[in-house]
Amino acid sequence: MKRVLPRLVAAALALSVPLAGAHAQAPKTEVKLAVLAPSALLWLHAIAMDKGFYDKRNIAVRELRASDSPALLQAVASGSADAGIALGDLAVRAIDKGAPVIIAGAVLDKTILRLYGAKGTASIKDLAGKPLTAGAVKGGTANLLKYQLKQAGVDPAGVQMVSIANSRDRIIAMGNGQVAGALLIAPFDTLAGREGAVLLDVYREPYVQTPLVLNKSWGEAPATRPAAIAVTQALKEAAAFIDNPANKDAAIDVLAAYTKTPRDVVEDSYAFIVKEQKAIPADLSVPAAGLENLYKIDAAVGGDPQSQPFDLKRYYDPSYIAGK
């Protein structure tokens, strides 16, 4: 009996190995995600990474850092990236021109850009005829800045637009007098305020500043559609996470670490983006007005006219949010 028992135990252990292996998780599917420099535009993405929302859906998201927004959209359209967190204006214009991309959800359905003037600016009217920056010199963010000027009675044709890609450098440019004002993204807008810059204006209407865009072929192909749904669902879970007041401190910690910004600065970003502007839709849904306003703003400042009647279905496919 002493000899038989060890043999039975050994046999049982041998049988347990293949059984355990049979339940091992399949290798993760890689998703190449095109992104810009770390900022609040990527808050949901940072949460999805930190809280394991990608991992639980068995996808491994690899960031592809683009130099600017046009390069990001080109990477998704060409298939160099599977998906991207893009700028809304560029996305809809690219789709109008036949680019093979589709919006899967709204990461931000209101702008989180705030217009600041350099130290000593009394009002938005002081920006008349001055050099200003909104990132690019034309297109979405530049047109938004011009629209804000026009609404305040300042002729946008009289200002000089300066190309400065990221908000950190825009703060420096305001400080050294290169520009008199700038559209700034969180959390860097708060840093500018602490250095003496003056908050002048915020656009409050629906405005899909940052959508999740997918390469259409990648999103539709049977072999890769599950990964497209997974990345959308992970960001949707991140949106619900940040919109839950119980997760305020955790969300602030994530962005502070991701952007290497002091926590108290990110607290101001949370107050503006989540509580005041309510810019993050908990279900990632895309409001028609949020895309239509992109065209209305462009038209108001002499941008490219809309080439065809607006149809939300041309730009946005809600099936990824629905998980179908």
Side-chain angles (χ1 to χ4, degrees):
M1 184 65 183
K2 290 181 180 180
R3 294 176 181 175
V4 172
L5 186 58
R7 292 174 185 169
L8 290 173
V9 172
L13 288 172
L15 286 171
S16 71
V17 172
L19 287 174
H23 295 287
Q25 191 174 41
K28 290 182 180 178
T29 300
E30 182 181 76
V31 175
K32 298 187 293 294
L33 183 71
V35 298
L36 296 173
S39 74
L41 292 178
L42 298 174
W43 204 338
L44 298 190
H45 166 59
I47 289 171
M49 289 193 300
D50 187 79
K51 301 305 175 186
F53 297 159
Y54 292 137
D55 289 338
K56 70 187 283 186
R57 291 170 174 85
N58 210 35
I59 54 174
V61 172
R62 177 159 65 93
E63 288 186 353
L64 301 180
R65 190 65 51 79
S67 58
D68 56 30
S69 299
L72 186 155
L73 201 60
Q74 177 59 32
V76 179
S78 68
S80 298
D82 304 314
I85 296 176
L87 293 186
D89 178 78
L90 290 179
V92 296
R93 293 297 186 182
I95 292 169
D96 284 342
K97 294 176 181 178
V101 299
I102 192 71
I103 294 173
V107 174
L108 294 167
D109 67 0
K110 287 188 177 179
T111 185
I112 61 170
L113 288 163
R114 293 195 270 194
L115 177 58
Y116 278 79
K119 187 175 181 179
T121 304
S123 76
I124 195 169
K125 293 184 183 298
D126 289 348
L127 302 182
K130 302 288 181 62
L132 308 173
T133 183
V137 298
K138 62 180 181 178
T141 54
N143 287 344
L144 176 59
L145 191 156
K146 291 177 182 178
Y147 182 81
Q148 290 173 275
L149 293 174
K150 186 174 182 179
Q151 292 296 104
V154 176
D155 181 6
V159 303
Q160 175 192 351
M161 298 301 294
V162 180
S163 177
I164 304 177
N166 66 72
S167 287
R168 286 187 189 274
D169 290 339
R170 291 175 217 166
I171 295 172
I172 295 171
M174 276 200 297
N176 64 23
Q178 182 183 354
V179 297
L183 276 182
L184 298 174
I185 200 79
F188 309 110
D189 52 355
T190 299
L191 292 173
R194 292 184 179 186
E195 293 180 10
V198 181
L199 176 61
L200 300 174
D201 191 46
V202 179
Y203 180 71
R204 303 288 186 182
E205 299 303 314
Y207 182 93
V208 178
Q209 180 175 341
T210 312
L212 170 66
V213 296
L214 309 177
N215 177 278
K216 286 189 76 172
S217 296
W218 179 78
E220 294 172 358
T224 51
R225 184 170 177 82
I229 291 173
V231 71
T232 307
Q233 293 291 316
L235 292 173
K236 179 181 175 181
E237 185 173 3
F241 180 92
I242 197 173
D243 282 339
N244 183 345
N247 298 323
K248 173 183 174 180
D249 287 338
I252 289 170
D253 288 341
V254 168
L255 187 63
Y258 187 68
T259 60
K260 297 180 173 60
T261 304
R263 192 181 190 282
D264 62 315
V265 172
V266 180
E267 288 175 352
D268 180 80
S269 302
Y270 180 93
F272 169 58
I273 295 169
V274 180
K275 298 186 69 177
E276 178 186 335
Q277 193 75 330
K278 295 180 172 58
I280 301 173
D283 60 357
L284 291 193
S285 60
V286 175
L291 295 183
E292 288 181 292
N293 282 340
L294 299 175
Y295 289 104
K296 290 177 181 178
I297 287 170
D298 284 3
V301 297
D304 294 334
Q306 191 171 351
S307 59
Q308 50 195 313
F310 180 82
D311 181 1
L312 183 61
K313 296 191 295 295
R314 180 165 59 250
Y315 308 100
Y316 167 50
D317 182 349
S319 66
Y320 297 96
I321 289 175
K324 298 178 180 177

